[in-house]
Amino acid sequence: MTALDTRDRATVARETATFAVDVGGTWTRSRRLEDGATTDRVPTPSVLRRPGVPVAVLREDLVELLGSLAPSLATVAVSLGAALDDRTGVVHGSAPLWGAADDPFDLGAALARRRPDVVWHLVNDVTAAVTDVAVRHAPAGARHVGYLTVSSGIAYRCLDVPRSRIEVDERGLQGEVGHLVAQVDAEDADLLLSRCECGGRAHLAAISSGPGIARLVVQRTGATSDPVARLSAGLGAGEGWAQGVLRSAVAPVAALLRTVWTLDPHLDLLALGGGVVEGLGTAYERTLRELLSTPASYADPPRDDAWFDEHLRCCAPGEVDLLAGAAAAVSGASEAVR
Ligand SMILES: [Zn+2]
């Protein structure tokens, strides 16, 4: 890509999207951005769905799918479950979409070639989520709003609300916490042997993500089918093994949140969402609050339910709209929070 390409894409930023797409590891959802429009859903051509298919083929199929969804002459906001530089459209990696592949892929350029009539804006899915959370759920005067997605992968983003900015490094990244080594309780040291989809070991995403929790259920119960449903049923029935699995999976997330709060005193709201948080619902939130309510040291503030009600939100299904968030991120609509 040339410097001119980069500048051209930057100058078309902050405009109004007319169509939005959310590419998740399992489903790709899309909607026209107009009143009363319905959301369509098709399977994502990802390594999660099609293990063994070469990454080059998966990438071609994704470009083809997005190209086929976009209406003529549309301005499209794409939310993508990937580490990506949304200033350029270059994707650095996505374990759910492409496994361990870590060669940068210029998806923005590929889409522009496939559908040159369309203006494409690529937005990291956590950027879309934190923007929607800030627009819909942040209290007036909020300084920083964070969002942690716990789904097929794990990632975090923090929005500086007054400045309407998500600070990024030179690759356009922030908050790729899923591939940090997890902090586990001493009795769970065996979890540090877990292998992550990215190829690493003991990563947070290998233990606390949906696939990580499923592995945990299989290890501890010998279940061979539908481990997540089995966990939900066990939690519903108040079974001790299920609560133990949940606690092992949530503890590294709680440790991460302590670190985030310690380093960011302006974080006025921290929301969690994604399939794991939404699917396990109140059981997840209760376990997280229990783990965080005990101060780890004199430096940790006491946190009671009133504190959690103000600072921590576990989102229920439908409380975060990635399609609206991607569109809002493109138009800079998080400024509306101020
Ligand atoms: Zn990893």
Side-chain angles (χ1 to χ4, degrees), residues 188-256:
D188 287 333
D190 59 314
L191 297 182
L192 296 175
L193 297 173
S194 305
R195 184 68 82 175
C196 184
E197 266 80 0
C198 79
R201 205 182 274 280
H203 289 180
L204 180 62
I207 297 166
S208 302
S209 68
I213 293 174
R215 271 195 301 272
L216 213 49
V217 174
V218 171
Q219 278 168 16
R220 295 198 182 166
T221 67
T224 51
S225 66
D226 219 348
V228 174
R230 196 167 165 159
L231 176 64
S232 294
L235 289 170
E239 292 171 13
W241 71 266
Q243 188 54 43
V245 165
L246 185 59
R247 194 178 170 88
S248 296
V250 176
V253 172
L256 174 69

Side-chain angles (χ1 to χ4, degrees), residues 26-274:
T26 311
W27 297 104
T28 293
R29 299 176 312 119
S30 61
R31 183 169 81 223
R32 282 181 189 270
L33 294 166
E34 57 196 27
D35 288 346
T38 54
T39 301
D40 294 322
R41 189 178 85 157
V42 293
T44 301
S46 64
V47 74
L48 264 189
R49 279 196 180 271
R50 294 159 60 185
V53 174
V55 168
V57 174
L58 296 173
R59 288 172 174 172
E60 269 176 36
D61 289 354
L62 179 63
V63 170
E64 190 54 37
L65 172 64
L66 293 174
S68 70
L69 290 172
S72 182
L73 300 171
T75 297
V76 179
V78 182
S79 161
L80 195 72
L84 91 112
D85 186 340
D86 49 29
R87 301 165 305 179
T88 62
V90 172
V91 181
H92 294 286
S94 169
L97 291 179
W98 304 322
D102 62 356
D103 55 312
F105 172 53
D106 195 341
L107 178 59
L111 289 169
R113 279 195 301 275
R114 171 68 177 76
R115 284 294 303 277
D117 63 308
V118 168
V119 178
W120 296 96
H121 293 284
L122 299 180
V123 176
N124 169 272
D125 61 339
V126 192
T127 293
V130 75
T131 304
D132 190 56
V133 165
V135 169
R136 292 211 276 165
H137 303 300
R143 295 165 295 179
H144 292 176
V145 172
Y147 181 85
L148 182 78
T149 180
V150 185
S151 180
S152 47
I154 296 179
Y156 174 77
R157 286 235 150 175
C158 177
L159 175 70
D160 183 326
V161 179
R163 295 168 62 229
S164 195
R165 280 175 69 88
I166 292 172
E167 300 296 353
V168 294
D169 67 12
E170 58 282 0
R171 293 197 298 160
L173 304 183
Q174 189 222 98
E176 295 297 335
V177 295
H179 305 286
L180 295 174
V181 170
Q183 195 176 328
V184 303
D185 289 343
E187 63 268 30
D188 287 333
D190 59 314
L191 297 182
L192 296 175
L193 297 173
S194 305
R195 184 68 82 175
C196 184
E197 266 80 0
C198 79
R201 205 182 274 280
H203 289 180
L204 180 62
I207 297 166
S208 302
S209 68
I213 293 174
R215 271 195 301 272
L216 213 49
V217 174
V218 171
Q219 278 168 16
R220 295 198 182 166
T221 67
T224 51
S225 66
D226 219 348
V228 174
R230 196 167 165 159
L231 176 64
S232 294
L235 289 170
E239 292 171 13
W241 71 266
Q243 188 54 43
V245 165
L246 185 59
R247 194 178 170 88
S248 296
V250 176
V253 172
L256 174 69
L257 299 194
R258 281 186 205 278
T259 304
V260 169
W261 276 315
T262 301
L263 294 175
D264 186 354
H266 286 185
L267 188 61
D268 292 319
L269 175 65
L270 203 171
L272 281 82

